[in-house]
Amino acid sequence: MQRRSFIKKGTAASIMGLGMSVQALSLIKKPKSLNPYSFKLNYAPHLGMFKNHAGDDPINQLNFMADQGFRAFEDNNMKNRSIKTQEEIAKTIHDRGMKMGVFVAHTIYWKEPTLTTGKIDIREAFLKEIEESVEVAKRINAKWMTVVPGFVDLSLNMDFQTQNVIETLKQASAILEPHELTMVLEPLNFHNHPGLFLSRSPQAFQICKAVNSPSCKILFDIYHQQIQEGNLIPNIDSCWDEIAYFQIGDNPGRKEPTTGEINYNNIFKFIHSRGYKGLLGMEHGNSINGIKGELNVIEAYKISDNF
């Protein structure tokens, strides 16, 4: 008997001995060879964006993101997840060479004044939540956390409100600076969030300059600012020194790039030309449901990143 024939028969016999037919063996899924796309910028999907591919398990979702070439992710709800889940996520993103994006640092009140009021009890409650967020950030190796100052106080002049916000953010910065963490202030548009104090990028720029801390910067949400003020590239350029983070969404609809009026290819090209090394959170929905819609999101970013 030739040696090759003997080996082939021996292998088949071993398989049958394990109770497996050759046909059954052929049905075992082989690991796919990964060929992740090399994005020029650090786009960060959010949990749930690819659940039709990866299921509900956040670890599987993170692995799917990494397999597609995404080097970061964000999760607004991270602070509310269990410590066990946070630790599992931290290990996964470390193992996959990913970065953690923003999470929401505090309770956001959408219909009532908070930091604008200057009330001591409200300020102390906010600062306590910032202290709690430091522990979350350290656990998941995050560098940024989102802050929204709250609703306009109709009983106070806007200048007084601005000063109240600045003073509170100075105290929050004192908590964050020793840990080299940054809260990012997010201006929100008047259409989706009418009545909020912080709505414009120049306003956020002015506040950050007044706070004068590396721990207080701008989250420039391109979707919100397209609705609020337009003039996107010039405003990004003017605010550049105070921008620490971007978020993405096309308008109308707040879906992936290429679905609306924003020329994301030009915007990404400009951001890249400025040497930006930070993250761009994909804080939007999918324009198409299901697996097809998730593939469409990935393709939209490849198109918009092609400059």
Side-chain angles (χ1 to χ4, degrees):
M1 180 183 293
Q2 294 184 350
R3 185 172 184 273
R4 182 180 300 176
S5 176
F6 176 79
I7 292 172
K8 186 182 295 183
K9 288 181 179 180
T11 303
S14 297
I15 292 170
M16 296 301 290
L18 291 172
M20 298 173 65
S21 68
V22 174
Q23 181 181 10
L25 185 66
S26 69
L27 296 176
I28 296 176
K29 291 184 178 180
K30 298 178 180 178
K32 295 180 180 179
S33 59
L34 302 179
N35 185 26
Y37 187 82
S38 182
F39 291 105
K40 295 181 179 72
L41 292 168
N42 295 317
Y43 308 110
H46 58 81
L47 293 180
M49 179 166 273
F50 299 118
K51 65 180 180 180
N52 288 286
H53 274 91
D56 292 328
D57 182 7
I59 305 306
N60 290 341
Q61 291 184 40
L62 289 170
N63 282 317
F64 179 82
M65 294 173 195
D67 289 347
Q68 310 315 306
F70 294 109
R71 301 188 295 269
F73 94 107
E74 64 177 22
D75 181 26
N76 285 339
N77 195 44
M78 180 62 75
K79 192 173 180 180
N80 296 322
R81 299 188 187 278
S82 69
I83 292 177
K84 180 175 181 292
T85 299
Q86 291 174 9
E87 290 174 342
E88 289 173 348
I89 288 173
K91 182 180 185 304
T92 302
I93 60 178
H94 175 269
D95 292 347
R96 296 306 304 264
M98 300 176 76
K99 294 181 178 179
M100 174 68 202
V102 291
F103 66 95
V104 175
H106 64 106
T107 304
I108 300 176
Y109 295 95
W110 299 105
K111 296 296 182 182
E112 57 188 278
T114 49
L115 304 189
T116 54
T117 66
K119 293 180 179 178
I120 299 302
D121 58 335
I122 293 176
R123 177 177 292 163
E124 289 179 348
F126 170 78
L127 295 175
K128 183 175 184 296
E129 290 196 82
I130 294 297
E131 290 175 347
E132 294 167 353
S133 292
V134 168
E135 297 308 310
V136 176
K138 289 161 65 175
R139 190 176 299 124
I140 59 177
N141 196 28
K143 300 299 181 185
W144 308 275
M145 58 186 75
T146 304
V147 166
V148 177
F151 212 68
V152 169
D153 187 340
L154 296 177
S155 68
L156 279 178
N157 181 283
M158 279 294 287
D159 292 337
F160 292 136
Q161 294 182 66
T162 299
Q163 186 55 43
N164 289 336
V165 169
I166 290 169
E167 178 55 34
T168 300
L169 296 179
K170 283 183 176 181
Q171 295 186 32
S173 294
I175 295 170
L176 296 172
E177 284 177 11
H179 306 282
E180 298 183 340
L181 300 174
T182 302
M183 57 183 166
V184 284
L185 311 183
E186 183 177 11
L188 301 168
N189 78 76
F190 73 95
H191 179 71
N192 296 122
H193 303 288
L196 288 186
F197 168 79
L198 188 62
S199 61
R200 298 171 290 109
S201 62
Q203 179 190 15
F205 181 80
Q206 181 184 34
I207 290 170
C208 287
K209 286 296 184 186
V211 175
N212 191 28
S213 169
S215 289
C216 183
K217 296 294 181 182
I218 298 171
L219 190 173
F220 195 106
D221 189 308
I222 298 166
Y223 164 76
H224 283 301
Q225 293 318 304
Q226 169 67 2
I227 295 172
Q228 184 67 34
E229 58 195 20
N231 202 34
L232 290 168
I233 290 177
N235 282 339
I236 291 172
D237 191 38
S238 296
C239 291
W240 188 261
D241 290 346
E242 298 297 330
I243 294 174
Y245 199 96
F246 288 95
Q247 284 183 326
I248 302 161
D250 215 335
N251 182 61
R254 201 173 189 178
K255 307 300 182 184
E256 68 270 15
T258 74
T259 59
E261 65 187 359
I262 303 176
N263 189 336
Y264 268 105
N265 188 263
N266 276 351
I267 291 173
F268 291 158
K269 181 180 180 181
F270 174 76
I271 292 171
H272 183 265
S273 75
R274 294 297 305 263
Y276 182 70
K277 303 298 183 185
L279 308 190
L280 300 94
M282 296 159 58
E283 196 187 36
H284 56 74
N286 300 356
S287 63
I288 302 171
N289 293 329
I291 286 178
K292 181 180 178 182
E294 294 174 1
L295 294 174
N296 193 65
V297 168
I298 297 167
E299 187 61 27
Y301 276 89
K302 291 179 181 179
I303 292 170
S304 300
D305 188 71
N306 185 22
F307 48 80

